[in-house]
Amino acid sequence: MAKLWQKNYDLDALIEKFTVGEDYRLDNNIIAADCVASVAHAAMLSKIGILTQKEFEDLKKELIAIINDDAAGKFQIDLHDEDGHTAIENRLVNKTGDAGKKIHTGRSRNDQVIAAVRLYARDYLLELIQAGTALAGTCLAFAEKHKDVPMPGRTHMQIAMPSSVGLWAAAFAEEILDDLTLAFTAYELNDMCPLGSAASYGVPLPLDREMVSDSMGFAKLQNNVLYVNNSRGKMESIILDAAEQMVLTLSKMAQDLILFSMPEFGYWSIPAQLCSGSSIMPQKKNPCGLELIRAKASTVSAAVIHIKGIIKALPTGYNRDFQETKGAFIRGANTALDCVRVMEHTMNRLTVNRENLARGFIPEIYATDRALELVSGGMPFRDAYKEVGLHLDELSNMDPGTVIAAKKHTGATGNLCLNKAQAQLETFEKTLEQKRNRIEQAFKKLLGSRPVLFRSLK
Amino acid sequence: MAKLWQKNYDLDALIEKFTVGEDYRLDNNIIAADCVASVAHAAMLSKIGILTQKEFEDLKKELIAIINDDAAGKFQIDLHDEDGHTAIENRLVNKTGDAGKKIHTGRSRNDQVIAAVRLYARDYLLELIQAGTALAGTCLAFAEKHKDVPMPGRTHMQIAMPSSVGLWAAAFAEEILDDLTLAFTAYELNDMCPLGSAASYGVPLPLDREMVSDSMGFAKLQNNVLYVNNSRGKMESIILDAAEQMVLTLSKMAQDLILFSMPEFGYWSIPAQLCSGSSIMPQKKNPCGLELIRAKASTVSAAVIHIKGIIKALPTGYNRDFQETKGAFIRGANTALDCVRVMEHTMNRLTVNRENLARGFIPEIYATDRALELVSGGMPFRDAYKEVGLHLDELSNMDPGTVIAAKKHTGATGNLCLNKAQAQLETFEKTLEQKRNRIEQAFKKLLGSRPVLFRSLK
Amino acid sequence: MAKLWQKNYDLDALIEKFTVGEDYRLDNNIIAADCVASVAHAAMLSKIGILTQKEFEDLKKELIAIINDDAAGKFQIDLHDEDGHTAIENRLVNKTGDAGKKIHTGRSRNDQVIAAVRLYARDYLLELIQAGTALAGTCLAFAEKHKDVPMPGRTHMQIAMPSSVGLWAAAFAEEILDDLTLAFTAYELNDMCPLGSAASYGVPLPLDREMVSDSMGFAKLQNNVLYVNNSRGKMESIILDAAEQMVLTLSKMAQDLILFSMPEFGYWSIPAQLCSGSSIMPQKKNPCGLELIRAKASTVSAAVIHIKGIIKALPTGYNRDFQETKGAFIRGANTALDCVRVMEHTMNRLTVNRENLARGFIPEIYATDRALELVSGGMPFRDAYKEVGLHLDELSNMDPGTVIAAKKHTGATGNLCLNKAQAQLETFEKTLEQKRNRIEQAFKKLLGSRPVLFRSLK
Amino acid sequence: MAKLWQKNYDLDALIEKFTVGEDYRLDNNIIAADCVASVAHAAMLSKIGILTQKEFEDLKKELIAIINDDAAGKFQIDLHDEDGHTAIENRLVNKTGDAGKKIHTGRSRNDQVIAAVRLYARDYLLELIQAGTALAGTCLAFAEKHKDVPMPGRTHMQIAMPSSVGLWAAAFAEEILDDLTLAFTAYELNDMCPLGSAASYGVPLPLDREMVSDSMGFAKLQNNVLYVNNSRGKMESIILDAAEQMVLTLSKMAQDLILFSMPEFGYWSIPAQLCSGSSIMPQKKNPCGLELIRAKASTVSAAVIHIKGIIKALPTGYNRDFQETKGAFIRGANTALDCVRVMEHTMNRLTVNRENLARGFIPEIYATDRALELVSGGMPFRDAYKEVGLHLDELSNMDPGTVIAAKKHTGATGNLCLNKAQAQLETFEKTLEQKRNRIEQAFKKLLGSRPVLFRSLK
């Protein structure tokens, strides 16, 4: 099919292949979102008299048909279409005639792709937040179950002080909850409707931008039409910044899980079904899922850096450079979500080996507890510290369970205060539910159904 | 002086120099914060009976003396001190005897440095948010003043559609306000008191962690003692992520300002006092401040990447790797703040040249407006688009002022809706004021004064 | 089909999907390379008596059949195959029976994938170097053609001193030649045969590793079997470091080309066939190819960072993390090559507009030349500089052609010394030819033909 | 003192502080290099008649005096000087009058700073290569000493196959040698004299650029005057790319050293003198040097990214952005060198614990050896693999020493071929010596002595 801008010459073949790049494949991810935004735009054009009611109905019907075709894997974009927006407009023109030729009134592909990515990202964030709350919940349950299981605490990877499996797991629950705070902020910033910005400079038509925004359940309209374009890539990088913090948390967790499942520790076991083997070594059960989570933290980081590198110091207004942010965003976002889900799946199947954990309790682990005993007897801490430090060979074993129970101040092994994280988790779940409902109601009113705008990459 | 952990051997000289690194210089930035946290910790130790009232008073007096010395540039840390925490403890022992030897009861340098950095970062964020709101305000005033000044709008850096200086400036105002949302979220996450985590595993003492947190005006306590250590570097990277979004906004703004002050455009002029000259070319007036803002976006980005690279896949608990985050954070944070201030200073002094702006209005800039005229006459947009595109030589000039005024929908050149950004700005200013007050009240109660915990790098 | 390591349980479905990731698609890029390495390995196994001559012949025949199927797009890897190595072994077992079951003797997938990627990368580098020399040649020809065309020289993007289009183009020719030096070093390091390392620890078999290396035309054997595995990701990042320097050069070149094709400059024109249009603005001809080159510099940079982030601080020996380097490498490498080719294509079609270039010669561009006239009259430079600087309004126009011709020292506008770059270019072309020949001879001996091991991504 | 370009107005104070940044401190690193380049430039100006012989002698004498003052820590640059170049010119004018005012004839600070950084970087690379060869030598000696000490080989951090301490150490020796190949290429590219490019556009004076280049012992002249400026930042990033590969190697080595010195392994011991203690835990001996090496790999990576981020898509010619590359380069370069030295220092003091290493040899480590025994009996490998895999409990212990000795093919545990790396090391040492001599001879001729142009940061 023809490009939208095609006039009286053909684009050079090498340049066509280069500029289209992977867009014609990547855009499969945002076809449904683009159709939803197109229905909203068309409804508004009909209200302001650009489209007749009949034209709007025809467009809406065909756009819903495309959504359905896409869900069934039957909507294909061709290299010569250039991108999904063109493929959609070409089909609309083909099926609805003049209505299709009118739908682009008052918009550009610039604000169209921004709208589609924002809808896609909104549904993505709902999934990410849901997966994150599930993981936090799993960690909290794991912490509750193992709150009394002693575990050698380390600093510098060396033996430090007595700790517990519960403290370890709860630390990650709290960290993930903080990561979710970032995800909610990203959600809030992303939840602005860009449509009506056209090519960044508006149009001399009485577009009702608020109507369009409300009809898709956006929390607000993104006001300044130039800012709309300037925020391309920015919003994607803000979302990935949040996702990156989550995978950084997971990378630490994965490292601990890999490290302490080495046979010399054996603190926990990952079921064989979650491990891969080797092509040459018959005995191997490798924690590949966790290793890949560790590696994929760099994948998400690279995606963030990629996008920020592109937008840095770009002049205002649309520049084709933005196109290159799409693949980075889609891949980075999917990677983060996969990691969260796989970690939750793994944590849910992890078994803890008390005996192996107990073996790490060598006398020196109690050195600080011993020094604090001396403090209780009145010795200044620094003196007690030196006293113990110069007589390490006199340290004797204590009972790990008693020692971890003795740390009773807030947040310590003897007093994890899991209820605090639990309460925050429930608040997050409620907020998530409200956001889902708001969108569902808007979409049902606009389209009669709630299409899924984010699907994991195959 | 001696290291805190020194017992019966000396550290290898090469390793000492390498492991201390620049800490003994960087820690000058957090001496005051460390002293504040030490007073709060000592007050609590006194309450739970580790310190006598007299010991606490002695410590408090000396810690305030150190804060004053530091403010006067008279507190020096030595390479052999290893770091600021040691320098402070050594002085306390020297001046207060046993009280000094007791102050480290129930804490480690790990949670001590986290506390100090968090206090430093909190004051930093107050400054960054203040500078950001000032810049947003300047952009809004600039937009209001130049809302009717036509400016060629561009996409792909080529002539696109009529725009205005007001639209341009307001776009940045709105973007900076969104950046500030991120800064507030970073503030919220940073506003947790870490003290009482000790070496990540708590202590068998009845530490009143809530008292310590409240006494420094923190919004809440960071609960899990292992999470406290796991969040080192994380919090710094979250803050810098927010700061980075701000400098990315500035990099775009700087690029526009540099580009359109080239003599071939001359849209605006930067006063000579803000420009540097050349050592060889007598005529040069170079926009060096703006060029450096453009470059320094990469500086902040690199600092973020630096920190995230360090924390990725580190096992839980303290690892010495964390030390390397300090310089990156301090330098990155300062760089971002400097850039915001310099941009505000520059925008405040920029003059706009209407005639030069008018010269960019060549007939093709009106092509879209012409196509939409045809649409008003009933032609479908895609047909109108092709009609104009095939007869570009028939385009004639219009009046730029009339054309930009005609875009009256929300957020367009004829209807910038500056009041919306203004309202958000005022909300932010109020929130900032409340946060300042909360801290001031806590510090006055704890110390009798409100020491400044963030100072720009010299 | 079954996984190579499959024994008596099935891999969890979520973990399977996550750990296989895109490998089953990405591996299409290295099927041919894997088959070549497998033939070389099998030939050696036959020599040391693990395979009979007949078994070797059967395997060779089938591996060549796979190469041909792959070239015809008919070799598919399935998700359940896990990766291309498994798909190949499964087919070999299927077609050759015991021979297929023996081919993995003395190797692991670890050294197999390293060998395949190295062969792929070697052919890639040949293409990159060829594209780079072509671009350098085009720039040199462009410089020769336009050596007398004056162009305003700039610093800080402001008018600086008279320059020429020839100087501009030749600067890039020289820079690309330096980039090619890095590509040749990357080639040298990559040109080591890894086979025989097995799982990093060798095998108790008399493998003739030198034979394998020579048979594929490698310059040398990579000696230490553990280093083989430790170099995974490393080699890829070294190659991409070289490619990145090339795209950084192109990003600067693209920026100049975009900037000075703005209508306010119009120094050169990009033919319409190389430009894309807008969906809304009928008049647009956008330099999209160049904008994407600018953006894709960040794509290659991100790929480098991605890989380095993965390998940083990984313990020795194979870790599954390495798998995640594959996509980054393949995508980054392809992106860089595409950019070089598109830039060469564009430079070959660029037209220069002398009149527009001449318009930039305002009097102040001659300020330094005037100061140096005063120096010729005996005035110290610093005095001359100030004299001119305080009387800029007295500067008058000179003849640009005369002024640029007057700079006759080496490398200046009047004496570009293009012959030096030309000579280096020819040396590079000869070296490239030698490398191609060496491989061709080895492959013809081993396989009877020279399969193409690198194909651009579709 | 005054700025070089100062005319009839003062620079705004905020802008002055911002644009000068840390230059006035950083430039202390390149004062000596700048003076050397200035003597070379002055000698040439004297030859072409711009300076009298007397003026040249005066300048040379004063420049040598500055070099000596700088070596003694007595040459200070002031904020108002802007940078070191200005501080030097101001002093020359002050001491030599008109000669000082003439020295800037035919150069700009742009090519001056490039020349100084290149000289600094050349001496830096000599140090880095020397430290790298020393480390490679230490690793080779360590490998030779421990070539028969069995060590559990791992993949996925799990027990894989028998290995040796010798194989482990030799792997790093070979990797560092490959890293040094990159450092030599960086040296070659850096070894070009930029002087005579002036502000990128040359000057109408008969500068003898070859004379200047030869007099400083450069291998060649950088020809194109615009390319000189375009290569700012580029050369720095090429050098740091090489240094980064070296620290990435070290990060892996450090991770192994930290990991296997955990008490559960205890493969090796780091002497207490190389370890730091804890402020709270009396027993701690932490491998802080190694942890910081691991962290500092990210520091060097961040410096590379920083510089590449700055130069990406900058228009040609000098832009002030380049200034921001200086700190990143100096800090990144120093960090890498420190890490190499500390690693060499540590490896030299490491003790190996045979008994602890032996404990890791559990039966499953011999699974592959057992499968290959079955292969020797005629069973196809894939069948042997399954046979062993389904009967892992039947595996019995073997003698580790015998098993590692049995891997006799090239590069395996029984045949490390250390002589190959040793030969390459000696070639590198010879090349290094030649490069040192070339510079020493040139400098003695030019200056009568060989000033040190690179000093480690304090």
Side-chain angles (χ1 to χ4, degrees), chain A residues 232 305-315 321-322, chain B residues 244 247-253 255 291-299 301, chain C residues 255 294 298, chain D residues 305-314 321:
Chain A
R232 178 108 189 254
I305 294 166
H306 187 174
I307 294 173
K308 290 176 179 170
I310 290 171
I311 63 177
K312 184 213 151 193
L314 268 191
D321 311 60
F322 285 133
Chain B
E244 186 192 13
V247 290
L248 284 171
T249 302
L250 299 186
S251 76
K252 189 183 283 285
M253 207 170 161
Q255 187 75 303
E291 292 170 85
L292 284 169
I293 288 175
R294 186 174 59 187
K296 282 171 191 284
S298 294
T299 307
S301 291
Chain C
Q255 187 75 302
R294 185 173 61 186
S298 294
Chain D
I305 294 165
H306 188 175
I307 294 174
K308 290 177 180 170
I310 291 171
I311 63 177
K312 185 214 150 193
L314 267 190
D321 310 60

Side-chain angles (χ1 to χ4, degrees), chain C residues 265-294:
Chain C
F265 301 100
Y267 290 177
W268 33 57
S269 306
I270 305 156
Q273 286 75 6
L274 272 58
C275 293
S276 301
S278 155
S279 68
I280 174 173
M281 295 172 288
Q283 85 281 14
K284 296 302 298 290
K285 284 181 188 151
N286 299 317
C288 291
L290 296 166
E291 291 170 86
L292 284 170
I293 288 175
R294 185 173 61 186

Side-chain angles (χ1 to χ4, degrees), chain B residues 84-314:
Chain B
H85 318 297
T86 302
I88 292 172
E89 184 171 323
N90 283 339
R91 172 149 157 189
L92 293 177
V93 172
N94 195 29
K95 297 280 187 171
T96 71
D98 276 1
K101 290 180 175 177
K102 291 180 182 174
I103 193 166
H104 211 60
T105 316
R107 77 174 183 190
S108 74
R109 279 184 299 182
N110 301 354
D111 64 342
Q112 194 178 353
V113 64
I114 293 171
V117 171
R118 220 158 269 183
L119 288 167
Y120 171 86
R122 198 171 60 170
D123 269 18
Y124 166 71
L125 281 166
L126 293 174
E127 292 300 308
L128 183 70
I129 291 170
Q130 177 156 314
T133 53
L135 175 55
T138 296
C139 288
L140 280 176
F142 193 90
E144 175 65 31
K145 185 170 169 192
H146 301 94
K147 69 182 170 196
D148 299 325
V149 181
M151 173 175 167
R154 291 167 195 273
T155 62
H156 306 261
M157 296 171 76
Q158 299 286 321
I159 292 294
M161 290 177 68
S163 179
S164 70
V165 174
L167 183 76
W168 177 86
F172 286 109
E174 294 190 15
E175 185 162 3
I176 292 156
L177 289 168
D178 279 350
D179 295 333
L180 287 170
T181 298
L182 295 169
F184 275 114
T185 299
Y187 187 96
E188 178 193 338
L189 289 171
N190 181 70
D191 198 12
M192 298 193 289
C193 185
L195 279 173
S197 72
S200 306
Y201 304 106
V203 284
L205 296 170
L207 302 182
D208 185 344
R209 298 185 66 205
E210 286 78 3
M211 173 190 171
V212 174
S213 176
D214 291 345
S215 72
M216 292 188 280
F218 278 107
K220 70 172 188 173
L221 178 65
Q222 188 170 14
N223 180 64
N224 185 291
V225 292
L226 178 56
Y227 175 39
V228 167
N229 256 290
N230 287 356
S231 66
R232 178 106 189 257
K234 178 190 191 76
M235 221 53 94
E236 289 86 336
S237 71
I238 290 171
I239 294 167
L240 287 188
D241 270 337
E244 186 192 13
Q245 290 292 346
M246 209 169 286
V247 290
L248 284 171
T249 302
L250 299 186
S251 76
K252 189 183 283 285
M253 207 170 161
Q255 187 75 303
D256 281 357
L257 288 169
I258 295 166
L259 185 56
F260 297 116
S261 63
M262 289 171 81
E264 287 81 356
F265 301 100
Y267 290 176
W268 32 57
S269 305
I270 305 155
Q273 285 75 6
L274 272 59
C275 294
S276 301
S278 155
S279 68
I280 175 174
M281 295 173 287
Q283 85 281 13
K284 296 302 298 289
K285 284 181 189 155
N286 300 317
C288 291
L290 295 167
E291 292 170 85
L292 284 169
I293 288 175
R294 186 174 59 187
K296 282 171 191 284
S298 294
T299 307
V300 180
S301 291
V304 173
I305 294 166
H306 188 176
I307 294 173
K308 291 176 180 171
I310 291 171
I311 62 177
K312 185 216 151 192
L314 267 190

Side-chain angles (χ1 to χ4, degrees), chain C residues 51-65:
Chain C
L51 292 173
T52 64
Q53 182 63 22
K54 169 72 169 59
E55 285 173 331
F56 166 60
E57 294 296 342
D58 287 353
L59 288 169
K60 178 174 167 180
K61 191 179 148 203
E62 193 57 31
L63 286 162
I64 290 173

